[in-house]
Amino acid sequence: MEEEPQEEFLYCNGAATQLLKLGSLDCWLKDETNTSSNVLFLIIPGNPGIVYYYKLFMQVLHRTLIRKYPVWAISHAGHCIPPEGMEMMEESSLSLSHKEKSNKSIGRVLFMKQRKCQNINPEDIFGLNGQIEHKLAFLRKNVPKDTKIVLIGHSIGCHMILEMMKQEPGLQVLKAILLFPTIERMAESPQGKLMTPVLCNLRYLIYMTIYFLSFLPESVKASLVRWALQGLQLDEATVTASLNLFSVSCAANAMYMGSQEMMQVVQRDDSTIKLFLHKLIFYYGSNDHWCPVSYYEDMKRSFPEGTILLCQKGIRHAFVLDANVEMAQMIIEWLRTDLAKL
């Protein structure tokens, strides 16, 4: 029986944020002389940034680590439905009039997202830059500065990790694992060419569809998820995670961030990669339509001394759907030497 993670909801930079936590920092904070376990594994998800997609991955990782180190996952701001009594945005963070606050229509839900892709506001918590600051704010407030961190990024989470390391070089990053990294030319990728018009111009039509689907009973929504992902041996955590996408707010936040990804994630940040190359492990898919093999080959040419790997197991970009065990076991192998030195 796998250990169940502790689930927490909190406001981070004013936005509802979900945490899944296996293990606690208390085990070594209580004893200042014990530094052997002073390591936190933190998962930065892809998009949508719903932590329940990573539940099984976390459990396998934590068990394989013999539960020696805490393994946490943090959602993206506004990508998970907050519990009853908790709003998507903390009241003090809203700069809306009383009339706007009392408006419960779909127009209010979409208030923060009705922008063109090119209109980038660095203080926008739901935008790509805001999500990066959201993760840094979480670390500053919840993790002691001397904690060694293993950052595990998936898809756009890899871009976020590179930016986090660039913006906060004092982070005690032991290693950063970048899985299926969307860190360049997103709109030029095969999937990007398909999704850019949808995310930048047509997403408002999708919001309306989701709005009507949101009234369906939970059991019907779960059946729709199972039908959409038929052919996979779905665990209940995946179904639970997918139910968040029937919320207009969560889906809109995810698609809004996705529209900014297409516009902002263009040029690979070689200077940051070079600076932290010894701490980075890149893992590319062999059939990944978000970061094709040509991107892997370019990385190998630019950084021949780096740890840049190409998947030989046929694992899909969305590895959390069916390859959690394989992915967790590989990560432990990559980190074995680093962990042994602690």
Side-chain angles (χ1 to χ4, degrees):
M1 184 71 123
E2 293 283 6
E3 179 184 358
E4 285 297 308
Q6 177 186 354
E7 180 184 11
E8 293 182 16
F9 275 90
L10 69 154
Y11 286 115
C12 182
N13 272 16
T17 304
Q18 186 180 23
L19 292 176
L20 285 187
K21 301 167 73 172
L22 283 166
S24 169
L25 302 184
D26 292 342
C27 61
W28 43 264
L29 285 178
K30 289 178 180 177
D31 181 3
E32 294 183 359
T33 64
N34 179 14
T35 59
S36 61
S37 296
N38 190 349
V39 176
L40 170 66
F41 283 67
L42 182 64
I43 297 167
I44 310 294
N47 188 1
I50 302 170
V51 287
Y52 257 88
Y53 280 127
Y54 298 83
K55 179 184 173 185
L56 180 55
F57 174 63
M58 293 175 65
Q59 289 173 319
V60 176
L61 199 59
H62 195 233
R63 170 167 43 83
T64 309
L65 289 164
I66 324 174
R67 298 176 172 83
K68 186 175 181 182
Y69 307 108
V71 178
W72 295 1
I74 179 172
S75 76
H76 295 324
H79 285 210
C80 297
I81 301 172
E84 188 174 352
M86 184 179 189
E87 297 295 327
M88 188 64 80
M89 288 291 290
E90 195 172 14
E91 199 69 16
S92 61
S93 300
L94 294 172
S95 58
L96 305 177
S97 69
H98 177 74
K99 180 178 179 181
E100 287 169 328
K101 287 180 181 179
S102 62
N103 182 3
K104 300 298 182 181
S105 70
I106 188 172
R108 178 193 185 282
V109 174
L110 302 181
F111 179 80
M112 294 294 289
K113 302 144 193 101
Q114 302 275 353
R115 303 180 177 93
K116 293 184 180 296
C117 293
Q118 292 83 357
N119 185 14
I120 306 301
N121 178 358
E123 297 181 357
D124 178 7
I125 184 64
F126 297 127
L128 183 56
N129 291 336
Q131 295 284 3
I132 294 164
E133 177 56 32
H134 171 262
K135 308 305 175 294
L136 290 172
F138 171 79
L139 288 171
R140 293 185 198 113
K141 186 173 181 180
N142 297 278
V143 179
K145 289 184 179 180
D146 61 346
T147 304
K148 299 178 183 68
I149 307 172
V150 175
L151 292 170
I152 301 176
H154 176 216
S155 192
I156 194 61
C158 302
H159 169 81
M160 292 185 184
I161 285 175
L162 289 177
E163 282 295 313
M164 290 164 65
M165 295 173 73
K166 176 182 180 178
Q167 294 179 28
E168 196 115 345
L171 282 177
Q172 299 298 307
V173 177
L174 179 66
K175 219 73 172 181
I177 313 294
L178 308 182
L179 305 175
F180 307 95
T182 53
I183 57 173
E184 59 175 309
R185 294 176 283 173
M186 284 192 68
E188 295 179 24
S189 69
Q191 194 69 8
K193 290 176 181 177
L194 177 68
M195 290 303 297
T196 297
V198 175
L199 292 170
C200 289
N201 301 313
L202 302 176
R203 65 182 191 272
Y204 308 113
L205 299 177
I206 299 174
Y207 297 165
M208 191 60 69
T209 302
I210 294 170
Y211 174 71
F212 289 114
L213 290 174
S214 68
F215 292 103
L216 294 172
E218 294 299 292
S219 58
V220 176
K221 295 176 186 175
S223 296
L224 286 174
V225 171
R226 293 188 177 93
W227 173 80
L229 298 176
Q230 58 187 311
L232 297 173
Q233 293 184 339
L234 294 182
D235 59 279
E236 284 306 306
T238 298
V239 176
T240 299
S242 299
L243 293 179
N244 287 277
L245 298 176
F246 288 91
S247 158
V248 179
S249 294
C250 295
N253 286 335
M255 295 185 74
Y256 171 57
M257 186 180 99
S259 71
Q260 292 199 351
E261 293 171 34
M262 298 305 110
M263 297 298 104
Q264 290 181 271
V265 184
V266 178
Q267 185 173 350
R268 194 178 64 203
D269 188 353
D270 283 359
S271 60
T272 298
I273 292 171
K274 183 177 181 180
L275 182 63
F276 296 107
L277 189 61
H278 61 293
K279 295 186 176 184
L280 304 175
I281 297 176
F282 294 87
Y283 189 77
Y284 283 84
S286 56
N287 187 29
D288 188 342
H289 297 301
W290 279 114
C291 37
V293 173
S294 60
Y295 291 14
Y296 156 79
E297 292 169 344
D298 289 345
M299 276 287 292
K300 286 288 285 185
R301 281 193 292 270
S302 297
F303 302 100
E305 70 280 21
T307 306
I308 302 162
L309 309 171
L310 183 66
C311 178
Q312 303 297 324
K313 300 175 181 288
I315 298 174
R316 71 179 79 213
H317 184 91
F319 74 90
V320 292
L321 295 178
D322 55 7
N324 292 288
V325 174
E326 297 91 331
M327 205 73 256
Q329 290 175 343
M330 279 193 287
I331 287 172
I332 298 303
E333 282 301 313
W334 299 338
L335 296 175
R336 193 171 299 280
T337 301
D338 294 279
L339 296 176
K341 293 177 181 177
L342 297 176

